Amino acid sequence: MTTLDLFRLDGKTALVTGCKRGIGKAMALALAEAGADILGVSASLETTGSDIEKEVTALGRSFRGYRCDFGDRPALYDFIHQVQDDAPVIDILINNAGTILRKPALEHPDEYWDQVLEVNLSAQFVLSREMGKGMVERGRGKIIFTASVLTFQGGITVPGYAASKGGIGQLTKALANEWAGKGVQVNAIAPGYVRTDNNQALQDDPVRFNAILQRIPAGRWGEVEDFKGPVLFLASDASNWVNGEILTVDGGWMGR
């Protein structure tokens, strides 16, 4: 096997959450380009005929789409059971789905807190636990979370989001501690400031946008394509001895 062969995903099946657009879509396409078949889910994804389905199938890989609101626990379990019926073997789980609600802490309502923690942390644990059972039983698998630079920092006006992403960092390590010895690698990617819908409010604020830009050593905000290489590394055999790592992809933000 050559070094490049380590990055091939032929014969693998990946479940990618939050795949309709943004970072999740780029990740799904990267895995498909490397040979994986894709199961994708988002809260508003068309179950057939979506753009991501068309792009994955154009690469010669199969795609099956699902719609699920990860803030609805019963719906999440229904989705898990459907996936287990449709694809008994999930080799790669990309926990990318997430949400963000902005309000200063003194005005941050319970509803914002509960929704963000449910979607960004609790649903991720439930999905990882249920898909992880098969991976541990088979003695192989890859689980990759989308963390954030707010896994390490507090941010401004997003207390629920920061708490959820801090939790994702610790969940990554907790699962890796239990499952690394069973052949399952659990890691995370922590994006910096990327041009996605989640950051639209910051992009529309010229003061915040420029303040952030001036701190990024790379001199630019990130693009979703910047995550194709990192996710392929963590999803492939190239990372078989990488466990519990939180890989920052941030243009140097965290080193500043």
Side-chain angles (χ1 to χ4, degrees), residues 173-238:
K173 296 174 184 179
L175 297 182
N177 287 343
E178 293 192 33
W179 296 347
K182 302 180 186 301
V184 179
Q185 289 80 53
V186 184
N187 295 287
I189 295 172
Y193 288 89
V194 185
R195 291 181 179 272
T196 64
D197 292 349
N198 268 3
N199 285 323
Q200 194 60 54
L202 298 178
Q203 295 174 69
D204 292 340
D205 182 336
V207 174
R208 290 293 307 282
F209 178 85
N210 286 313
I212 291 167
L213 180 62
Q214 290 169 13
R215 180 180 158 160
I216 301 173
R220 66 174 177 86
W221 279 52
E223 303 291 344
V224 297
E225 289 77 16
D226 292 318
F227 296 87
K228 286 188 168 185
V231 78
L232 180 56
F233 167 62
L234 292 178
S236 70
D237 287 345

Side-chain angles (χ1 to χ4, degrees), residues 62-254:
S62 68
F63 181 89
R64 185 187 292 267
Y66 302 85
R67 179 179 294 182
C68 181
D69 176 3
F70 279 19
D72 181 338
R73 187 71 64 88
L76 174 63
Y77 275 107
D78 288 344
F79 162 68
I80 290 170
H81 295 151
Q82 186 62 58
V83 168
Q84 290 171 333
D85 286 342
D86 293 340
V89 176
I90 298 295
D91 302 289
I92 303 159
L93 171 61
I94 309 296
N95 279 312
N96 172 73
T99 190
I100 188 168
L101 295 171
R102 301 177 185 275
K103 226 175 229 311
L106 292 178
E107 305 166 19
H108 209 78
D110 290 356
E111 293 78 12
Y112 276 26
W113 178 272
D114 291 344
Q115 182 178 348
V116 171
L117 267 291
E118 183 66 29
V119 172
N120 291 8
L121 185 58
S122 297
Q124 314 297 330
F125 169 68
V126 171
L127 187 57
S128 298
R129 182 190 64 204
E130 296 307 305
M131 296 301 163
K133 291 175 182 177
M135 294 180 180
V136 169
E137 182 178 343
R138 292 187 296 273
R140 66 182 186 279
K142 303 278 185 174
I143 297 177
I144 303 163
F145 291 94
T146 297
S148 169
V149 290
L150 296 196
T151 298
F152 313 101
Q153 300 176 319
I156 300 172
T157 73
V158 287
Y161 184 84
S164 71
K165 293 301 183 177
I168 286 295
Q170 293 305 103
L171 180 58
T172 298
K173 296 174 184 179
L175 297 182
N177 287 343
E178 293 192 33
W179 296 347
K182 302 180 186 301
V184 179
Q185 289 80 53
V186 184
N187 295 287
I189 295 172
Y193 288 89
V194 185
R195 291 181 179 272
T196 64
D197 292 349
N198 268 3
N199 285 323
Q200 194 60 54
L202 298 178
Q203 295 174 69
D204 292 340
D205 182 336
V207 174
R208 290 293 307 282
F209 178 85
N210 286 313
I212 291 167
L213 180 62
Q214 290 169 13
R215 180 180 158 160
I216 301 173
R220 66 174 177 86
W221 279 52
E223 303 291 344
V224 297
E225 289 77 16
D226 292 318
F227 296 87
K228 286 188 168 185
V231 78
L232 180 56
F233 167 62
L234 292 178
S236 70
D237 287 345
S239 61
N240 281 350
W241 207 51
V242 180
N243 299 277
E245 179 65 27
I246 304 172
L247 174 61
T248 54
V249 182
D250 63 355
W253 175 274
M254 287 303 301

Side-chain angles (χ1 to χ4, degrees), residues 1-63:
M1 179 180 290
T2 69
T3 300
L4 290 179
D5 288 334
L6 291 173
F7 292 87
R8 293 299 308 173
L9 300 177
D10 302 289
K12 304 290 187 182
T13 298
L15 172 58
V16 183
T17 74
C19 72
K20 183 174 181 178
R21 57 184 176 268
I23 292 173
K25 183 180 181 182
M27 288 178 169
L29 290 173
L31 302 183
E33 289 168 10
D37 293 318
I38 307 296
L39 282 71
V41 59
S42 290
S44 60
L45 182 69
E46 304 90 340
T47 55
T48 60
S50 65
D51 289 343
I52 182 62
E53 177 181 355
K54 293 173 184 176
E55 292 181 52
V56 168
T57 55
L59 294 168
R61 310 315 311 164
S62 68
F63 181 89

